[in-house]
Amino acid sequence: MAQMSSVYRRLEEGAKRLTPQRELIIKLFLDRPGQHLSAEEVHQLVRQEFRDVGMATVYRTVELLTKLDILRQIRFNDGRARYEINLEAANMHRHHHMVCVRCNRVEEFQEDLLDQLEDRLLRERGFRVADHELKFYGTCRQCDRKQSNMKPS
Amino acid sequence: MAQMSSVYRRLEEGAKRLTPQRELIIKLFLDRPGQHLSAEEVHQLVRQEFRDVGMATVYRTVELLTKLDILRQIRFNDGRARYEINLEAANMHRHHHMVCVRCNRVEEFQEDLLDQLEDRLLRERGFRVADHELKFYGTCRQCDRKQSNMKPS
DNA sequence: ATACGTGCAAAGCCTTTGCAGGTGA
DNA sequence: TCACCTGCAAAGGCTTTGCACGTAT
């Protein structure tokens, strides 16, 4: 798998070892492209295969992987950090998030629209964009329907 | 001041009292449009005029004001919540943020570009956007210059 | 041998909550 | 009076750190 070897390479370049714990955590994310796991969720999943992994290891690993650009940290407004695999480094398009404020599900969408905006920020404001983050909060289709269905009653 | 009376009205509609502490906190934000204060910063500022205000009051107040749409909660990636006055309710344009990853300064910009995107999300995905949030991370003009100046050395 | 990694427990932030006392309508 | 507010202290989450013990090179 091309993604895997790229991940390994980046670990080596960072002079870091590929331990079983790290490998498992990386696989977790590779198996779930587009999922946004909290440290605790990662911990639970890892434990299913490896009983005595500590939270500290999970935190240290996701921090490491984020520094190596293998993961990306996201924060929705629930106060806890979440992580997703950085597919951009694997030549995928950047994506953004739609957070349903009723069911808390997170959907994604692709968008290139921001490129022109970033150019403008550089020209007009001298701000050189390295990364961006776009989130929509609202109601997803299902929740929207439920709400409509309830109105007649 | 038109903004003030609108704020008072919203407090009353929420059946809430305008205590000295609350008034001070609101004024803090009105005096600093476009600043993003953490609870602790608010606490320090409030204390300059009112020695014995507790953190709990600050937290309870910003939570209340956020529910009343007087403030808006934002989270940059430093783990703590920040608050800014919601000028939209005072008929100002929505704005977004550019966070400089070197000096941590936060600049703002206006943007309407997202409207068409929101329309598309509704049509194509059934997602009804209520709120959105766009952040750019990068280097501001000053930090960018410093970096360029250092290269020759 | 030596630097790196790990689990555990403790400590550190930021934030929320319980409570007894105070305050405004 | 009575619901609302407050400060204080304690408790709650999430996250980081110290430490002694492993482990790969």
Side-chain angles (χ1 to χ4, degrees):
Chain A
M1 208 182 189
Q3 291 175 337
M4 288 295 274
S5 63
S6 132
V7 163
Y8 294 151
R9 181 166 33 73
R10 265 176 286 167
L11 264 178
E12 282 166 22
E13 284 165 5
K16 302 299 177 185
R17 293 183 191 150
L18 184 67
T19 63
Q21 291 94 328
R22 287 178 181 172
E23 189 169 10
L24 236 141
I25 291 178
I26 293 171
K27 279 204 181 123
L28 268 186
F29 282 100
L30 285 176
D31 288 350
R32 292 168 179 72
Q35 279 201 30
H36 325 95
L37 305 175
S38 66
E40 203 192 327
E41 287 165 346
V42 172
H43 190 216
Q44 286 179 10
L45 289 169
V46 174
R47 281 199 151 181
Q48 291 176 8
E49 311 210 14
F50 223 120
R51 197 64 75 263
D52 54 348
V53 175
M55 272 307 282
T57 299
V58 172
Y59 275 108
R60 284 189 280 235
T61 302
V62 295
E63 186 196 3
L64 170 68
L65 296 179
T66 301
K67 273 188 190 144
L68 294 176
D69 257 346
I70 293 168
L71 296 184
R72 165 190 298 273
Q73 191 191 65
I74 337 167
R75 288 174 182 274
F76 302 111
N77 284 338
D78 65 346
R80 92 183 68 187
R82 293 177 171 277
Y83 300 85
E84 67 178 10
I85 189 105
N86 184 0
L87 291 174
E88 218 165 333
N91 296 328
M92 306 259 321
H93 256 84
R94 184 187 291 275
H95 66 270
H96 300 293
H97 300 103
M98 299 182 279
V99 184
C100 179
V101 296
R102 296 194 198 283
C103 65
N104 284 318
R105 256 195 297 267
V106 178
E107 296 180 61
E108 281 156 25
F109 66 96
Q110 310 283 336
E111 193 48 59
D112 301 321
L113 187 59
L114 297 177
D115 291 345
Q116 37 178 312
L117 183 50
E118 293 185 1
D119 289 344
R120 256 182 50 208
L121 291 181
L122 181 58
R123 282 201 314 276
E124 297 173 10
R125 309 279 299 263
F127 191 93
R128 190 177 302 279
V129 175
D131 196 6
H132 64 216
E133 185 181 295
L134 175 55
K135 293 186 209 125
F136 289 104
Y137 295 91
T139 44
C140 69
R141 198 193 297 274
Q142 291 101 313
C143 292
D144 206 42
R145 276 189 190 140
K146 274 184 215 152
Q147 200 182 10
S148 310
N149 293 344
M150 284 168 65
K151 271 183 193 154
S153 69
Chain B
M1 204 182 192
Q3 290 174 338
M4 288 295 277
S5 63
S6 133
V7 163
Y8 293 151
R9 180 166 30 74
R10 264 177 286 167
L11 265 178
E12 283 166 20
E13 284 166 6
K16 302 300 174 182
R17 290 183 193 150
L18 184 67
T19 64
Q21 291 94 327
R22 288 178 180 172
E23 189 167 11
L24 236 140
I25 291 177
I26 293 172
K27 278 202 180 124
L28 268 186
F29 282 99
L30 285 175
D31 288 350
R32 291 167 180 73
Q35 279 201 30
H36 325 95
L37 304 175
S38 66
E40 203 192 327
E41 287 164 346
V42 172
H43 190 217
Q44 285 179 10
L45 289 168
V46 174
R47 281 199 152 181
Q48 290 177 8
E49 311 210 13
F50 223 121
R51 196 65 75 262
D52 55 348
V53 175
M55 274 306 283
T57 300
V58 172
Y59 275 107
R60 284 189 278 236
T61 302
V62 294
E63 186 196 3
L64 170 68
L65 296 179
T66 300
K67 273 187 191 146
L68 293 176
D69 256 345
I70 293 168
L71 296 184
R72 166 190 297 272
Q73 190 191 66
I74 335 167
R75 288 173 183 275
F76 302 111
N77 283 338
D78 65 347
R80 89 183 69 188
R82 293 176 172 277
Y83 300 85
E84 65 178 10
I85 188 105
N86 184 2
L87 291 173
E88 216 166 332
N91 295 329
M92 307 259 320
H93 256 83
R94 183 187 292 273
H95 65 270
H96 300 293
H97 298 103
M98 298 182 278
V99 185
C100 179
V101 297
R102 295 193 200 285
C103 65
N104 285 318
R105 256 195 297 268
V106 178
E107 296 179 61
E108 281 157 24
F109 67 96
Q110 311 282 336
E111 195 46 61
D112 300 322
L113 187 60
L114 297 178
D115 292 346
Q116 36 176 312
L117 183 51
E118 293 185 3
D119 289 343
R120 256 182 50 206
L121 291 182
L122 181 56
R123 283 200 315 275
E124 298 174 10
R125 309 278 299 263
F127 191 93
R128 189 177 302 279
V129 174
D131 195 5
H132 65 216
E133 184 181 297
L134 176 55
K135 292 186 209 125
F136 289 103
Y137 295 91
T139 44
C140 67
R141 198 193 296 274
Q142 291 102 312
C143 293
D144 207 42
R145 277 187 191 144
K146 274 183 216 155
Q147 201 183 9
S148 309
N149 293 343
M150 284 169 66
K151 272 182 193 155
S153 67

